[in-house]
Amino acid sequence: MPIRHLELCDFRNYGRFEAWPGEELTVFVGPNAAGKTNMLEAIQLLTAGRSFKRPRWEELVRWGERAARATMEADAENGPLVVTLDVTSDGRRTYRVNGQVKRRVADVAGRLPSVAFTPDDLELAKGPSERRRSAIDDLGEQLSPAYAAVRRDYLKVVRHRNVLLRDAAPPEALGPWDEQLVTLGTKLLKHRTGLHARLEEHVARVYAELARGERLTAEYHDKLGFGPRAWEAGVAPAAISEAFRARLSARADEERARQVTLVGPHRDDIVFSIYGNEARTYASQGQLRTIALAWKLAEVRVVEEIAHREPVLLLDDVMSELDEERRAALTGVVRRDVQTFVTTTNLGYFDPGLLAGATIVELGR
């Protein structure tokens, strides 16, 4: 399902821009501040329904304009797929799929899945736990509308419960929200650990291929203490919910003192270890970058397994951040017929044979 046409109108720094991507590799090349990253952001918004830049919607509108539009045309199994995003300068956004308005981002995300790899992702193993949770949940939202709905509703409950804690609400006011937290948190944990199990297997295998056989683990650490294999081991959801309630009760005083929800999958983490040594503490810079690359390549393989299609791969200036061996690993994905969009300031990072069949789009020149 390759993307055939992209059009931007008053989006970020673009007044009007059109591109006709290649079926395999499209390279956006140009100097810094030419708008290369903005092109990938538009593609991710039209495929995943979100942006790695995490902007406010109004920030997408070109300075001084009242509205922005981004449009993608792709070939789908059932015919043409046209996705349009309209955003106004006051932050209102509207998605359309083949002309029909879609109220929720979840109704757009994943129709054509995408995997984005940016320089910020190179800190995946060493950065804050929120980065790792977002990495798996963002992928899950593209692969399952149910995953997206549970994540959205769970985070709403967490936010509302935090407001009650800050306002020193009485226990009886927290009670109904505690139950929603438990119910939705248990469901989110099931979705997330199921997806993690698929990713973990691929991450370990890809890392070993890239790191000459080094053994990597990527364990899911839940704060309820069940361990990364609870669902596979047959632990009943009721048992997890009961443990959830017990942990909430045990930490109730601490939550009131700190005025924030401390129990639930929004506090969980994924811990990478090499030969049993935690990567964020002991791994070299090269090993940390290999972990990030292995994770992204694993995402591509999991999308292929679950969605039975190749995702669009978005690479934002990462070639300059990787050494020759790791760039070659990314090149291998391109050669597997994954439609890939790359930004760069220097075409010298790419194999000449690969560029021979690529679509080159020059920006800012």
Side-chain angles (χ1 to χ4, degrees), residues 324-338:
E324 185 176 351
E325 186 175 359
R326 293 174 181 86
R327 287 200 296 268
L330 276 181
T331 298
V333 177
V334 176
R335 294 188 187 281
R336 290 170 56 236
D337 297 330
V338 175

Side-chain angles (χ1 to χ4, degrees), residues 70-204:
T71 302
M72 171 189 78
E73 298 176 22
D75 290 339
E77 294 179 1
N78 300 324
L81 172 68
V82 180
V83 181
T84 301
L85 169 63
D86 288 299
V87 183
T88 61
S89 56
D90 60 359
R92 289 177 293 135
R93 61 112 180 113
T94 303
Y95 273 105
R96 288 180 174 83
V97 176
N98 291 341
Q100 294 187 340
V101 174
K102 300 298 180 182
R103 290 193 310 108
R104 300 178 306 172
V105 172
D107 295 329
V108 178
R111 289 175 181 265
L112 177 54
S114 63
V115 172
F117 189 19
T118 75
D120 286 345
D121 291 320
L122 293 170
E123 295 295 317
L124 180 70
K126 194 173 183 177
S129 59
E130 181 181 4
R131 187 186 298 271
R132 290 178 286 280
R133 290 192 300 269
S134 293
I136 191 168
D137 288 344
D138 288 352
L139 179 64
E141 285 196 359
Q142 291 192 74
L143 296 173
S144 167
Y147 195 131
V150 168
R151 181 195 190 189
R152 180 182 66 248
D153 292 344
Y154 174 78
L155 292 178
K156 284 182 180 178
V157 170
V158 172
R159 287 193 295 268
H160 190 88
R161 195 172 181 275
N162 287 344
V163 170
L164 292 175
L165 288 168
R166 287 196 297 271
D167 292 343
E172 55 268 25
L174 279 170
W177 295 97
D178 289 354
E179 277 306 303
Q180 289 192 56
L181 190 78
V182 169
T183 300
L184 292 168
T186 300
K187 290 180 180 178
L188 179 58
L189 189 61
K190 181 176 183 180
H191 280 292
R192 189 189 284 166
T193 54
L195 181 56
H196 171 265
R198 286 178 176 265
L199 281 163
E200 181 182 24
E201 179 181 349
H202 286 296
V203 170

Side-chain angles (χ1 to χ4, degrees), residues 329-365:
L330 276 181
T331 298
V333 177
V334 176
R335 294 188 187 281
R336 290 170 56 236
D337 297 330
V338 175
Q339 189 180 28
T340 304
F341 295 83
V342 181
T343 66
T344 186
T345 58
N346 183 0
L347 293 175
Y349 293 128
F350 299 84
D351 178 87
L354 186 64
L355 288 178
T359 297
I360 310 296
V361 180
E362 294 192 4
L363 300 174
R365 295 182 180 178

Side-chain angles (χ1 to χ4, degrees), residues 28 38 40 51 55-56 77 128 132 137 142 187 196 199 223 236 255-256 262 278 284 304 342 348:
F28 298 110
N38 295 341
L40 297 197
S51 162
R56 296 192 300 271
E77 294 179 1
R132 290 178 286 280
D137 288 344
Q142 291 192 74
K187 290 180 180 178
H196 171 265
L199 281 163
K223 300 302 183 182
E255 285 191 331
R256 289 190 173 279
L262 299 173
E278 193 169 333
S284 67
E304 292 170 340
V342 181

Side-chain angles (χ1 to χ4, degrees), residues 285-339:
Q285 189 69 14
Q287 288 172 317
L288 291 171
R289 293 188 170 209
T290 303
I291 291 171
L293 177 56
W295 179 276
K296 288 299 174 178
L297 297 182
E299 285 190 18
V300 172
R301 296 183 183 182
V302 168
V303 170
E304 292 170 340
E305 283 182 358
I306 296 177
H308 305 294
R309 68 184 75 165
E310 291 78 21
V312 173
L313 185 59
L314 309 174
L315 308 177
D316 185 36
D317 199 27
V318 293
M319 291 298 189
S320 63
E321 302 288 337
L322 300 174
D323 59 24
E324 185 176 351
E325 186 175 359
R326 293 174 181 86
R327 287 200 296 268
L330 276 181
T331 298
V333 177
V334 176
R335 294 188 187 281
R336 290 170 56 236
D337 297 330
V338 175
Q339 189 180 28

Side-chain angles (χ1 to χ4, degrees), residues 268-284:
D268 292 352
D269 199 0
I270 297 170
V271 177
F272 297 97
S273 299
I274 300 173
Y275 293 123
N277 297 312
E278 193 169 333
R280 80 179 88 191
T281 302
Y282 296 101
S284 67

